[in-house]
Amino acid sequence: EYSGAASCDSCAGSKYSVAGSRNCSECASGKFSGGGASECTICDSGKYSQAGSQYCSKCSPPYTSRAGSGECDACERDFFQNTDGTCTECTVGLKCESSAFGPSVRNMPVEQGYFRFSATSTQVYECRKFDLCQGGGNKTGLQSCARGAEGPLCNMCQAKF
């Protein structure tokens, strides 16, 4: 930081300054600086920082974050994020291992042979007729039933089937 006639001082921790600048700027959320930096460093995946931080903090399991996050806003693999933001362990019938981060309840894939009533439902049910519940993607309700099947758990046949 420019401090007068003939001296320049390094920026303190949590701040940075580009060459030729007279001022230090605060690091944004998801970034940090230990001091004397010309730019802030992005927090790694699984860590976070608030604006003006000297370091990144580690997320507490089962919460995690993507690189550059200002908060632990995702769930670890094998967990899904409920509508209230809490992380819940995946149960049989859910595909939560599809990425490094667990899905949210709204985009949670269901395995074939299982049924979920709505996009906000956290419960899955095993279908009596395995092949009639297609699973995959985030299909819910009747969207998850095979052609010709309908009703709860795709357990009924449509007319003419």
Side-chain angles (χ1 to χ4, degrees):
E1 179 177 344
Y2 181 76
S3 61
S7 88
C8 293
D9 298 323
S10 294
C11 293
S14 79
K15 297 185 180 207
Y16 72 100
S17 178
V18 294
S21 175
R22 294 179 177 218
N23 299 314
C24 293
S25 299
E26 187 174 81
C27 292
S29 176
K31 297 181 177 185
F32 73 98
S33 167
S38 60
E39 63 183 358
C40 297
T41 304
I42 294 174
C43 293
D44 291 335
S45 177
K47 295 183 177 182
Y48 71 98
S49 72
Q50 301 299 315
S53 292
Q54 293 184 30
Y55 57 89
C56 296
S57 299
K58 187 174 176 17
C59 295
S60 298
Y63 296 92
T64 190
S65 65
R66 289 165 176 76
S69 288
E71 60 185 330
C72 298
D73 55 0
C75 298
E76 292 179 332
R77 186 181 182 107
D78 297 328
F79 288 82
F80 68 88
Q81 193 168 46
N82 276 312
T83 55
D84 65 0
T86 59
C87 293
T88 302
E89 191 167 10
C90 290
T91 60
V92 172
L94 297 176
K95 291 182 178 181
C96 293
E97 70 284 343
S98 58
S99 69
F101 301 103
S104 75
V105 71
R106 295 192 187 282
N107 67 5
M108 184 169 48
V110 178
E111 293 179 2
Q112 183 178 4
Y114 290 86
F115 186 92
R116 192 162 71 115
F117 282 94
S118 74
T120 57
S121 172
T122 60
Q123 297 292 317
V124 292
Y125 301 89
E126 187 172 5
C127 295
R128 291 184 193 130
K129 298 177 182 175
F130 183 86
D131 292 340
L132 295 181
C133 294
Q134 296 180 321
N138 62 342
K139 294 178 183 176
T140 60
L142 297 180
Q143 295 174 335
S144 62
C145 295
R147 186 171 174 261
E150 66 181 5
L153 307 179
C154 307
N155 202 31
M156 300 177 348
C157 292
Q158 294 174 346
K160 299 184 183 180
F161 278 92

